[in-house]
Amino acid sequence: MNHFFNEATWEKEWKDRGAAILEKMKRAGIEPSRDFDHKARTFNEQSFNEEGRKRTKRIMNWLEGQGVQFENASVLDIGAASGVFSVPFAERGAHVTAVESSIPLVELLTENFAKFPDDKVKIIPERFEDIDVQERGWSQAFDLVFVSMCPVIVDWGSVEKILDCASQYCYISMPVGSTELSLIHEIWPLVTGQSFRTKHTEMGYLLHLLYLKGYAYESLITRETKTMEYSRDEALQEMMVWLRRHDLPADDRNRKIVADYLDQAYPSGKVTVQQSGRYGKVLIRLQDQNMYTRD
């Protein structure tokens, strides 16, 4: 039981797990900072369609409901993608610094930022992991640091680097369990002979260490679902990536199994997929640590 309240134990467990996950992705040929390159345009379309804008608005409204103000605020958006949050932050009056390392996403982000004046938005086309916060002058430089579903968080050390940039608030969202993709549930039994089972992810480490280290924060766990549409070729490519992520061979046998299934189940060539899962959101208060109440 003593280990339950031991910060060092939890830090080591998370660090070891993060290192194991990164090694697993390396073996599978997956570079996290490049993972969205091949589907950047599709991701951008999904982010700014009606369903995507509603998801973004819900999160931003939740933040405002906790006292976060965007007008004239300085915001650091780490893993900004094509601007799914950076754009509405700027629309609500914030000065946004967007960090994104994927070149295709940076190109789309530049397009989406075109309507704003240069003093309103700034793009940093680098990996956050490679940025020296002190050298850049970013220590406590931003009213809000925002990190949504970004693979930059791999252990407590990466969280500390993010927190160092924030002066008032830090928002972090992460999966609570492995993502549930309807197509995976269809294909997994064909490849493995077993049903697909979700696994717990690193959100538990984050929340417990924030608790142990004395931070003030609000947290929220919800189930979210979005609809995606792929061509058969895109769906095949996506499933091969998923198999590699789960230590299964993306070999000729499995490629044929997936391709044959897609041909049979989706003769129109359009593959509609439901992506769902439990996602955690945490807002860390670095200044006023009292419970926020609206006047």
Side-chain angles (χ1 to χ4, degrees):
M1 176 60 88
N2 288 338
H3 291 314
F4 187 78
F5 298 104
N6 188 307
E7 295 176 26
T9 297
W10 283 81
E11 288 185 40
K12 182 180 184 304
E13 287 289 331
W14 192 3
K15 186 173 183 177
D16 290 347
R17 177 170 172 140
I21 290 173
L22 289 175
E23 179 59 31
K24 182 177 178 180
M25 295 181 76
K26 182 179 178 181
R27 289 199 308 270
I30 299 170
E31 167 55 50
S33 62
R34 302 264 82 89
D35 200 24
F36 271 73
D37 285 6
H38 69 284
K39 53 184 176 182
R41 194 156 293 278
T42 299
F43 177 81
N44 182 64
E45 292 169 358
Q46 294 167 353
S47 297
F48 290 99
N49 64 18
E50 183 179 0
E51 186 180 38
R53 288 182 181 275
K54 284 181 179 178
R55 285 195 304 270
T56 299
K57 186 176 181 180
R58 287 201 301 270
I59 292 172
M60 293 184 67
N61 286 350
W62 180 71
L63 289 173
E64 288 184 324
Q66 303 303 323
V68 177
Q69 297 181 0
F70 293 107
E71 184 67 32
N72 293 320
S74 56
V75 177
L76 177 64
D77 187 359
I78 300 172
S82 61
V84 56
F85 288 99
S86 287
V87 169
F89 287 158
E91 288 174 342
R92 295 199 188 188
H95 296 271
V96 181
T97 299
V99 177
E100 178 54 57
S101 60
S102 165
I103 294 174
L105 286 172
V106 167
E107 292 172 351
L108 291 166
L109 179 59
T110 302
E111 293 177 16
N112 293 335
F113 269 179
K115 63 182 178 180
F116 300 110
D118 291 342
D119 64 345
K120 196 77 171 176
V121 294
K122 183 178 182 180
I123 299 173
I124 308 296
E126 304 173 36
R127 293 186 348 135
F128 181 74
E129 299 94 315
D130 299 333
I131 292 174
D132 186 318
V133 170
Q134 301 296 325
E135 184 179 276
R136 199 67 62 101
W138 282 6
S139 184
Q140 298 182 16
F142 299 92
D143 298 316
L144 169 67
V145 175
F146 185 90
V147 190
S148 177
M149 306 299 294
C150 180
V152 70
I153 299 176
V154 295
D155 55 21
W156 178 252
S158 56
V159 175
E160 286 186 317
K161 182 177 179 180
I162 290 165
L163 288 168
D164 187 24
C165 299
S167 62
Q168 294 190 51
Y169 301 101
C170 183
Y171 170 91
I172 297 173
S173 71
M174 301 171 68
V176 174
S178 49
T179 302
E180 300 170 25
L181 210 63
S182 59
L183 191 55
I184 277 289
H185 284 278
E186 297 169 32
I187 287 173
W188 193 264
L190 303 178
V191 174
T192 68
Q194 301 175 348
S195 59
F196 182 76
R197 298 179 64 183
T198 60
K199 299 178 181 179
H200 295 300
T201 53
E202 289 69 32
M203 190 74 185
Y205 293 109
L206 173 65
L207 292 177
H208 195 60
L209 281 166
L210 288 172
Y211 156 65
L212 290 179
K213 292 176 179 291
Y215 284 93
Y217 60 92
E218 286 93 9
S219 62
L220 179 69
I221 294 177
T222 61
R223 176 170 287 279
E224 305 290 340
T225 302
K226 67 178 180 179
T227 303
M228 301 174 293
E229 189 173 276
Y230 297 108
S231 68
R232 277 203 301 250
D233 287 342
E234 290 171 337
L236 176 59
Q237 183 179 8
E238 190 70 15
M239 289 304 99
M240 291 299 100
V241 171
W242 268 76
L243 293 179
R244 290 200 302 271
R245 281 179 176 161
H246 290 83
D247 278 344
L248 292 175
D251 55 13
D252 290 342
R253 170 193 174 272
N254 287 341
R255 179 177 288 272
K256 186 176 188 307
I257 290 174
V258 176
D260 288 348
Y261 175 78
L262 292 172
D263 287 342
Q264 177 184 358
Y266 300 94
S268 70
K270 293 182 179 180
V271 183
T272 301
V273 179
Q274 296 289 324
Q275 178 177 307
S276 62
R278 295 171 67 225
Y279 299 96
K281 307 156 186 64
V282 57
L283 178 67
I284 306 159
R285 298 180 176 276
L286 300 171
Q287 285 191 10
D288 184 358
Q289 298 186 12
N290 295 322
M291 179 184 292
Y292 176 77
T293 55
R294 296 191 186 193
D295 294 331

